[in-house]
Structures are given as C-alpha cells and as structure tokens.
Amino acid sequence: MGTSKAEVGIYNFAPTPAPKEGRIKLAVSLGTMTTKAIVSDPNLGGRTFDTCIARHLEDEFIAKNPKAKRVLGGDTLAQQKAAFALMRAATNARETLSANTACPITVEGMAPDKDFFTKLTRETFEEKCGHLFDRVTALAKEAVAASGLELADLNAFELMGGGVRPPKIVAELSAFLGRPVD
C-alpha cells in the first residue's frame, strides 16, 4: 500500500531445477515466479486514511466553532491554505499513531486568526476510519479468491509501503490469515 493505491499480488516461486548436465542458464538461475493473481484498489492508500482523519478533525473543529466555514473543498485562498495545513496535520497524525496511542494535533489557520488544537487517539482513528481498514482485508480476500488458492497454501504474506504503518492493518490481516504477517 502506497500513498494512493493498494495492491495485493499472489505469486508462486519455484526453485531452480537441477541441471541435467552442464551449468544452469542465467535466465533460470534464481528460479521462476508465476503470477497467480493481482487485485488493486486505486483509491485506497495512505492518502485515503489522511483524508479520513482530516474530515474527522474538520468535523471536530466545526462542532467547537459553529460559525466557522469548512476548509476541505473550499474555494478561497485561505480555505485552501487551511486545507493543506489540515492534510499535513492528518498525515503527521497517521504516522505518529503508528507508534503511539495518542498524538497532539495543531492546524494553523483553520479560520481567520484561529488555529485548532486537539488530540487524536489511535482508538478514535481506528473507529472513524474503520471502513477503510475493512477494505484492506477485503482486498486480501479478493486476491486469495482470484488466485484459486486457499489461505493454507500461502507460505508468506508480506506488507510493503508507507500506507501499511497503522498497526490495525497488520492486526486485521494477521487475523484474516490466522498467523502474523511480515
């Protein structure tokens, strides 16, 4: 899972066959890899989680400041600047919550001459963005089904990319597989 896209690939690795005579050809010296299935979600990545956090933070700000205008999707320069600051704070929060259970958040310029200070817990993040965590597991299930294999047939399951930092992703995929993921 990267910034904007999640992809699950299932591959079969076969070792190098023993040579009948002579040397092993370079083309097969490392064995072979066969693709069994690749499924992707082009709208699920770290940025999707950041947007979810930003929407939650904006809702919290509006609840505390009912006369303030929303900044996400705003047209004015001030709203756009605030939206960038909000997204930057959301990204920092997601990264911080991958190692901590809570983090302080400061968003400058959420309203004219008004900064926003709050605290976000990992529990709230996981609750508000639960639908996104469900999509990660659904993508893994879809890939296994598309491969024609059973979970027991998989020898390893590795996560890569900056979008997989939240511990809930690792926990839910481990629960789905019935063993820890790498």
Side-chain angles (χ1 to χ4, degrees):
M1 180 183 295
T3 301
S4 61
K5 177 181 170 184
E7 188 171 83
V8 178
I10 298 182
Y11 306 94
N12 181 41
F13 292 98
T16 304
K20 294 182 182 177
E21 57 184 66
R23 295 175 37 171
I24 297 173
K25 292 182 180 180
L26 182 60
V28 294
S29 64
L30 299 176
T32 58
M33 179 178 83
T34 307
T35 302
K36 296 300 225 176
I38 296 178
V39 296
S40 64
D41 186 335
N43 300 308
L44 179 64
R47 194 67 164 173
T48 313
F49 284 93
D50 296 346
T51 302
C52 179
I53 293 169
R55 285 188 177 133
H56 165 70
L57 295 174
E58 184 179 48
D59 289 345
E60 185 179 329
F61 177 75
I62 295 297
K64 291 178 181 178
N65 301 279
K67 293 182 181 179
K69 292 183 180 180
R70 294 195 171 271
V71 297
L72 293 174
D75 295 330
T76 68
L77 181 60
Q79 287 173 315
Q80 290 173 356
K81 282 182 165 181
F84 282 119
L86 182 58
M87 289 301 294
R88 190 171 36 254
T91 300
N92 291 338
R94 177 178 51 87
E95 291 173 358
T96 301
L97 292 173
S98 69
N100 300 288
T101 57
C103 72
I105 296 173
T106 301
V107 184
E108 296 178 3
M110 281 292 286
D113 299 323
K114 186 145 184 100
D115 296 340
F116 178 53
F117 304 96
T118 190
K119 179 180 174 183
L120 183 65
T121 64
R122 185 185 293 168
E123 181 180 350
T124 301
F125 164 51
E126 291 173 354
E127 175 190 324
K128 296 295 181 182
C129 302
H131 63 288
L132 298 176
F133 292 106
D134 293 342
R135 284 173 55 188
V136 173
T137 305
L139 196 61
K141 288 178 184 178
E142 183 183 344
V144 172
S147 73
L149 300 172
E150 299 293 324
L151 282 177
D153 297 330
L154 301 179
N155 294 329
F157 194 98
E158 297 179 14
L159 297 173
M160 294 179 273
V164 297
R165 287 181 176 163
K168 186 169 177 80
I169 291 176
V170 175
E172 288 196 0
L173 287 173
S174 294
F176 163 65
L177 291 168
R179 63 181 188 264
V181 298
D182 296 326

